[in-house]
Structures are given as C-alpha cells and as structure tokens.
Amino acid sequence: MARKFLYFVAGMVVLVLAGAFVFQVYGDELMEVAFVPDTEFTAQEVLENNVYADTNMWMARPELVKNNPALWLPAGYEDMDEAFPEAKKAAVFFIHPTSFLKKDRWNAPLDDTESQARARIFLRGQASAFNAIGDVWAPRYRQATLGAFLTDKREGQQALDAAYQDVLAAFDYFVAEIPSDQPIILAGHSQGSLHLTNLLKDRVAGTPLANRIVAAYVVGWPVSAENDIPEMGLDVCESPDQTRCILSWQSFAEPADYARIIRVYDTTIGFNGQPRKDTALLCTNPINGDISSSAPATANLGTLVPNDDLSDASLVAGSVPARCDDRGFLLIGDPPEIGPYALPGNNYHVYDYSLFWANIRADARRRMTAFLAP
C-alpha cells in the first residue's frame, strides 16, 4: 500500500522547484527523477540492544525538557482545563512523518541534520497536540526516504521494512520503560502512520496491551475500515468519548481530487488478505470526534497557522469546517489560507493535524478522561 501513496508530499517540493504547470504535465516523472534513489539498497546495521535507552535516540521523551518540540505551544495559548495529575497521565508514543527527502540512500542516517530539523518542525505542529494529557515519546528512526514511496523497485519496500524495525525497537523499549499499568496513546502521521498500522497489528492486536490503549491516531494514511481495522486490535472510534479505538483522516479542500490515491489504494491488499478495492476508508471527523459526520467551521476550536519560516504558529478558531465524504476522505470546504504547502488536488495532507490542532487536543483529553473514569 505504501508504493506511490506519498506522491503528493513530493509534489509539494516539485511545485516549489518546477512550478505548477510543469508538475501537472510531468508530475510523476519529475518526482521519480527528483526523489527515487538510483543506488542499491544497503541493509542497515541492526541497532544494538537497548539502544533506545539513550536519550539521544529520541526527539521527545519525559527527560527531555530543553528544546523538546513536543512541548511547544502556540504563542499566548493556555489550557483552560486543569492538568492531569502525574499519576494519571498517559504515555504518548508518536511516530513522525517523512522528513528525509534525499536520493543518495534509501534510509535516513540518524545524523542527517536537515531531516532531523524538518522532523522537529513536524513534531511541534503535531505531537504537541497531546502534551496536555501525558508525556510524549517520539523516537528518531532511520526512516525510508521519500523516494521509497514513488517507485515499484523492491528497494522501496526494503527501506520501509528497515525503518519499521527501528520503530519496533523504540516501541518495545517504550513499553518496557513506562509503568505496566500506564494508559497509552499512539499517534503518527503519514509514513509514521503507516508504521503505526503495522505496529497495531504486530504488537497490540490480541495482546493485553490493547486494554491500555486510550486511542490510536492513525492520521494521513489510508486505512480500510473493512479489511484493515479487524486485524489492528482496536475498534473504530465511533463516538467522541469512546476509548480503545482508532481515529484516521485525510484532509482535502474542495473541489477535491484524490483520484491518484484511490488508484493506488485499490490495487492493494488489506491486513485480512482481501483486496482493499472499493472499500471505504476510515474517516474520523476530528472536530466532532466521531465517524462520517459533518461539522461547521464555528465548531473548530483552533487551527494552527504557521509563520513564514515555520518557527512559530498562531491559533485561529472557527475557520475550517470538516465533513467525511462517501469514500472516506475528510473535506474541509474552500481552501483555507494556512500556508503555501497545499498539494495538487487540493490535498491538505501536510496540515492534517494543524487544521484541527485544538480539537485534537480536546479529543485526547476527553478520551483520556473517559478511560480513567471508574
């Protein structure tokens, strides 16, 4: 399912470098030339046992206070609700999206300054939504380069498999390190959510750990409600106060053109071994916290609008609506003025969290409160 799904992220860069017209005419070819490595895949060295005990292997974890991007808040923002007491906080495991764009190798080295800086920007706008309800753990991992999603070469899948091994190692350390009864929230975006779907299948489904999951936010990646969810160990979040369940959405302004995503999605096989073709995507409305619903802009508690250099953002309430369409995509009305990285087809993938940051924050608090209720 990963192959060619993230073409639109490459589109963001291509649009900047080549211009919209060139992208529309030669988009797929340009992206493959620009991003797909032409080198052989080299198997990564297996990480040493317990390597994630080193705080340097994390961009966010409880011990990291200085320059922790997950602790960021918009200027002037203050939570109106009381903080959860220390003994009742969740542990949040967050997997960041693709930040490595180079084509000289298939997996990001851990010391790549550019991709690490980009990942920290993503964490500020995404993982920060969860910092009111618990401690965020966000591992560094040797993620697949963007080009791995844009090719049929077997090296692309090899790169994704290698990245997933790092995620598994980080998650296993995370689970072993936190108290054995601490509630857990799982979250990711894009490539991070791809790894999260597999993690749910391989580490949560059918295990006692499933009972500790408050919710899993599988954002910016297509999930088949029929052919994936039954193998992922949790139910769909059908109501705003439900727990032990999964949320997922992909954001498009209108008119939305997601034909390319559907073409790829319809060629893939679900976790249950059946074709995903013509099955509906799981669509959570992040404003309402339920599925397949509509919400007016007035119900949006706050959208993050970044400044020009992405160093900060302001919170603007009431500007973006949301509704799930029949195929399972989240439609947000007219294109909002949120920044220059809207992608072809009115795809707001880059802003999946930013569009609904305050509502996601409220959603996590509400589910955490319900989870802790006697």
Side-chain angles (χ1 to χ4, degrees), residues 239-256:
S239 63
D241 58 355
Q242 186 178 346
T243 62
R244 301 179 179 89
C245 57
I246 298 171
L247 305 89
S248 181
W249 64 89
Q250 299 172 87
S251 309
F252 280 78
E254 299 178 72

PDB file of all heavy atoms in Angstrom, residues 239-256:
ATOM      1  N   SER A 239     -17.669   7.272  18.561  1.00  0.00           N
ATOM      2  CA  SER A 239     -18.223   8.368  19.358  1.00  0.00           C
ATOM      3  C   SER A 239     -17.085   9.127  20.034  1.00  0.00           C
ATOM      4  O   SER A 239     -15.981   8.603  20.210  1.00  0.00           O
ATOM      5  CB  SER A 239     -19.197   7.826  20.411  1.00  0.00           C
ATOM      6  OG  SER A 239     -18.520   6.984  21.333  1.00  0.00           O
ATOM      7  N   PRO A 240     -17.327  10.380  20.422  1.00  0.00           N
ATOM      8  CA  PRO A 240     -16.240  11.230  20.926  1.00  0.00           C
ATOM      9  C   PRO A 240     -15.674  10.845  22.283  1.00  0.00           C
ATOM     10  O   PRO A 240     -14.579  11.291  22.627  1.00  0.00           O
ATOM     11  CB  PRO A 240     -16.885  12.625  20.980  1.00  0.00           C
ATOM     12  CG  PRO A 240     -18.342  12.379  21.009  1.00  0.00           C
ATOM     13  CD  PRO A 240     -18.584  11.124  20.240  1.00  0.00           C
ATOM     14  N   ASP A 241     -16.385  10.030  23.046  1.00  0.00           N
ATOM     15  CA  ASP A 241     -15.866   9.630  24.353  1.00  0.00           C
ATOM     16  C   ASP A 241     -15.497   8.157  24.399  1.00  0.00           C
ATOM     17  O   ASP A 241     -15.234   7.603  25.466  1.00  0.00           O
ATOM     18  CB  ASP A 241     -16.861   9.965  25.466  1.00  0.00           C
ATOM     19  CG  ASP A 241     -18.208   9.296  25.254  1.00  0.00           C
ATOM     20  OD1 ASP A 241     -18.407   8.651  24.193  1.00  0.00           O
ATOM     21  OD2 ASP A 241     -19.077   9.427  26.133  1.00  0.00           O
ATOM     22  N   GLN A 242     -15.434   7.512  23.238  1.00  0.00           N
ATOM     23  CA  GLN A 242     -15.067   6.099  23.164  1.00  0.00           C
ATOM     24  C   GLN A 242     -13.560   5.943  23.362  1.00  0.00           C
ATOM     25  O   GLN A 242     -12.774   6.811  22.986  1.00  0.00           O
ATOM     26  CB  GLN A 242     -15.478   5.538  21.797  1.00  0.00           C
ATOM     27  CG  GLN A 242     -15.282   4.047  21.632  1.00  0.00           C
ATOM     28  CD  GLN A 242     -15.769   3.572  20.262  1.00  0.00           C
ATOM     29  OE1 GLN A 242     -16.469   4.299  19.560  1.00  0.00           O
ATOM     30  NE2 GLN A 242     -15.393   2.362  19.896  1.00  0.00           N
ATOM     31  N   THR A 243     -13.151   4.837  23.940  1.00  0.00           N
ATOM     32  CA  THR A 243     -11.731   4.560  24.147  1.00  0.00           C
ATOM     33  C   THR A 243     -11.373   3.201  23.546  1.00  0.00           C
ATOM     34  O   THR A 243     -12.231   2.473  23.062  1.00  0.00           O
ATOM     35  CB  THR A 243     -11.371   4.570  25.644  1.00  0.00           C
ATOM     36  OG1 THR A 243     -12.095   3.526  26.327  1.00  0.00           O
ATOM     37  CG2 THR A 243     -11.722   5.920  26.271  1.00  0.00           C
ATOM     38  N   ARG A 244     -10.056   2.899  23.582  1.00  0.00           N
ATOM     39  CA  ARG A 244      -9.539   1.668  22.976  1.00  0.00           C
ATOM     40  C   ARG A 244      -9.989   1.559  21.520  1.00  0.00           C
ATOM     41  O   ARG A 244     -10.527   0.531  21.080  1.00  0.00           O
ATOM     42  CB  ARG A 244      -9.975   0.437  23.786  1.00  0.00           C
ATOM     43  CG  ARG A 244      -9.490   0.470  25.241  1.00  0.00           C
ATOM     44  CD  ARG A 244      -9.957  -0.758  26.012  1.00  0.00           C
ATOM     45  NE  ARG A 244      -9.463  -0.739  27.389  1.00  0.00           N
ATOM     46  CZ  ARG A 244     -10.114  -0.176  28.407  1.00  0.00           C
ATOM     47  NH1 ARG A 244     -11.284   0.415  28.203  1.00  0.00           N
ATOM     48  NH2 ARG A 244      -9.592  -0.196  29.627  1.00  0.00           N
ATOM     49  N   CYS A 245      -9.742   2.622  20.772  1.00  0.00           N
ATOM     50  CA  CYS A 245     -10.256   2.699  19.409  1.00  0.00           C
ATOM     51  C   CYS A 245      -9.316   3.512  18.519  1.00  0.00           C
ATOM     52  O   CYS A 245      -8.360   4.130  18.993  1.00  0.00           O
ATOM     53  CB  CYS A 245     -11.664   3.290  19.402  1.00  0.00           C
ATOM     54  SG  CYS A 245     -11.791   4.938  20.168  1.00  0.00           S
ATOM     55  N   ILE A 246      -9.610   3.520  17.211  1.00  0.00           N
ATOM     56  CA  ILE A 246      -8.742   4.102  16.192  1.00  0.00           C
ATOM     57  C   ILE A 246      -9.427   5.262  15.490  1.00  0.00           C
ATOM     58  O   ILE A 246     -10.609   5.186  15.138  1.00  0.00           O
ATOM     59  CB  ILE A 246      -8.358   3.034  15.141  1.00  0.00           C
ATOM     60  CG1 ILE A 246      -7.570   1.902  15.808  1.00  0.00           C
ATOM     61  CG2 ILE A 246      -7.541   3.642  13.998  1.00  0.00           C
ATOM     62  CD1 ILE A 246      -7.341   0.698  14.888  1.00  0.00           C
ATOM     63  N   LEU A 247      -8.661   6.350  15.283  1.00  0.00           N
ATOM     64  CA  LEU A 247      -9.107   7.504  14.504  1.00  0.00           C
ATOM     65  C   LEU A 247      -8.204   7.645  13.283  1.00  0.00           C
ATOM     66  O   LEU A 247      -6.999   7.355  13.355  1.00  0.00           O
ATOM     67  CB  LEU A 247      -9.044   8.797  15.313  1.00  0.00           C
ATOM     68  CG  LEU A 247      -9.769   8.881  16.655  1.00  0.00           C
ATOM     69  CD1 LEU A 247      -8.862   8.408  17.788  1.00  0.00           C
ATOM     70  CD2 LEU A 247     -10.220  10.316  16.930  1.00  0.00           C
ATOM     71  N   SER A 248      -8.765   8.121  12.164  1.00  0.00           N
ATOM     72  CA  SER A 248      -7.957   8.329  10.970  1.00  0.00           C
ATOM     73  C   SER A 248      -8.661   9.297  10.034  1.00  0.00           C
ATOM     74  O   SER A 248      -9.899   9.269   9.924  1.00  0.00           O
ATOM     75  CB  SER A 248      -7.724   6.999  10.246  1.00  0.00           C
ATOM     76  OG  SER A 248      -6.914   7.167   9.099  1.00  0.00           O
ATOM     77  N   TRP A 249      -7.902  10.173   9.377  1.00  0.00           N
ATOM     78  CA  TRP A 249      -8.478  11.063   8.367  1.00  0.00           C
ATOM     79  C   TRP A 249      -7.391  11.559   7.419  1.00  0.00           C
ATOM     80  O   TRP A 249      -6.213  11.538   7.729  1.00  0.00           O
ATOM     81  CB  TRP A 249      -9.198  12.255   9.002  1.00  0.00           C
ATOM     82  CG  TRP A 249      -8.323  13.198   9.771  1.00  0.00           C
ATOM     83  CD1 TRP A 249      -7.652  14.296   9.298  1.00  0.00           C
ATOM     84  CD2 TRP A 249      -8.023  13.142  11.178  1.00  0.00           C
ATOM     85  NE1 TRP A 249      -6.966  14.919  10.310  1.00  0.00           N
ATOM     86  CE2 TRP A 249      -7.173  14.233  11.473  1.00  0.00           C
ATOM     87  CE3 TRP A 249      -8.409  12.269  12.207  1.00  0.00           C
ATOM     88  CZ2 TRP A 249      -6.683  14.468  12.768  1.00  0.00           C
ATOM     89  CZ3 TRP A 249      -7.916  12.510  13.484  1.00  0.00           C
ATOM     90  CH2 TRP A 249      -7.074  13.599  13.749  1.00  0.00           C
ATOM     91  N   GLN A 250      -7.852  11.991   6.220  1.00  0.00           N
ATOM     92  CA  GLN A 250      -7.003  12.605   5.211  1.00  0.00           C
ATOM     93  C   GLN A 250      -7.732  13.834   4.687  1.00  0.00           C
ATOM     94  O   GLN A 250      -8.857  13.726   4.202  1.00  0.00           O
ATOM     95  CB  GLN A 250      -6.721  11.627   4.072  1.00  0.00           C
ATOM     96  CG  GLN A 250      -5.994  10.371   4.531  1.00  0.00           C
ATOM     97  CD  GLN A 250      -5.918   9.351   3.404  1.00  0.00           C
ATOM     98  OE1 GLN A 250      -5.004   9.372   2.596  1.00  0.00           O
ATOM     99  NE2 GLN A 250      -6.901   8.475   3.340  1.00  0.00           N
ATOM    100  N   SER A 251      -7.102  14.989   4.759  1.00  0.00           N
ATOM    101  CA  SER A 251      -7.781  16.271   4.557  1.00  0.00           C
ATOM    102  C   SER A 251      -7.648  16.800   3.128  1.00  0.00           C
ATOM    103  O   SER A 251      -6.541  16.894   2.594  1.00  0.00           O
ATOM    104  CB  SER A 251      -7.204  17.314   5.525  1.00  0.00           C
ATOM    105  OG  SER A 251      -7.197  16.831   6.855  1.00  0.00           O
ATOM    106  N   PHE A 252      -8.784  17.188   2.546  1.00  0.00           N
ATOM    107  CA  PHE A 252      -8.827  17.791   1.215  1.00  0.00           C
ATOM    108  C   PHE A 252      -9.769  18.993   1.230  1.00  0.00           C
ATOM    109  O   PHE A 252     -10.875  18.910   1.763  1.00  0.00           O
ATOM    110  CB  PHE A 252      -9.350  16.802   0.173  1.00  0.00           C
ATOM    111  CG  PHE A 252      -8.336  15.808  -0.316  1.00  0.00           C
ATOM    112  CD1 PHE A 252      -8.000  14.713   0.467  1.00  0.00           C
ATOM    113  CD2 PHE A 252      -7.721  15.966  -1.536  1.00  0.00           C
ATOM    114  CE1 PHE A 252      -7.072  13.780   0.021  1.00  0.00           C
ATOM    115  CE2 PHE A 252      -6.788  15.046  -1.994  1.00  0.00           C
ATOM    116  CZ  PHE A 252      -6.453  13.952  -1.213  1.00  0.00           C
ATOM    117  N   ALA A 253      -9.322  20.100   0.623  1.00  0.00           N
ATOM    118  CA  ALA A 253     -10.238  21.205   0.350  1.00  0.00           C
ATOM    119  C   ALA A 253     -11.047  20.858  -0.895  1.00  0.00           C
ATOM    120  O   ALA A 253     -10.763  19.880  -1.593  1.00  0.00           O
ATOM    121  CB  ALA A 253      -9.466  22.502   0.154  1.00  0.00           C
ATOM    122  N   GLU A 254     -12.052  21.665  -1.159  1.00  0.00           N
ATOM    123  CA  GLU A 254     -12.931  21.390  -2.292  1.00  0.00           C
ATOM    124  C   GLU A 254     -12.727  22.406  -3.417  1.00  0.00           C
ATOM    125  O   GLU A 254     -12.472  23.579  -3.140  1.00  0.00           O
ATOM    126  CB  GLU A 254     -14.370  21.380  -1.815  1.00  0.00           C
ATOM    127  CG  GLU A 254     -14.638  20.290  -0.758  1.00  0.00           C
ATOM    128  CD  GLU A 254     -16.057  20.299  -0.244  1.00  0.00           C
ATOM    129  OE1 GLU A 254     -16.963  19.898  -1.013  1.00  0.00           O
ATOM    130  OE2 GLU A 254     -16.259  20.725   0.906  1.00  0.00           O
ATOM    131  N   PRO A 255     -12.827  21.968  -4.681  1.00  0.00           N
ATOM    132  CA  PRO A 255     -13.115  20.596  -5.112  1.00  0.00           C
ATOM    133  C   PRO A 255     -11.915  19.686  -4.884  1.00  0.00           C
ATOM    134  O   PRO A 255     -10.780  20.059  -5.164  1.00  0.00           O
ATOM    135  CB  PRO A 255     -13.414  20.750  -6.604  1.00  0.00           C
ATOM    136  CG  PRO A 255     -12.634  21.963  -7.011  1.00  0.00           C
ATOM    137  CD  PRO A 255     -12.669  22.888  -5.825  1.00  0.00           C
ATOM    138  N   ALA A 256     -12.158  18.501  -4.358  1.00  0.00           N
ATOM    139  CA  ALA A 256     -11.094  17.558  -4.015  1.00  0.00           C
ATOM    140  C   ALA A 256     -10.838  16.603  -5.169  1.00  0.00           C
ATOM    141  O   ALA A 256     -11.769  16.098  -5.790  1.00  0.00           O
ATOM    142  CB  ALA A 256     -11.490  16.765  -2.770  1.00  0.00           C
TER     143      ALA A 256
END
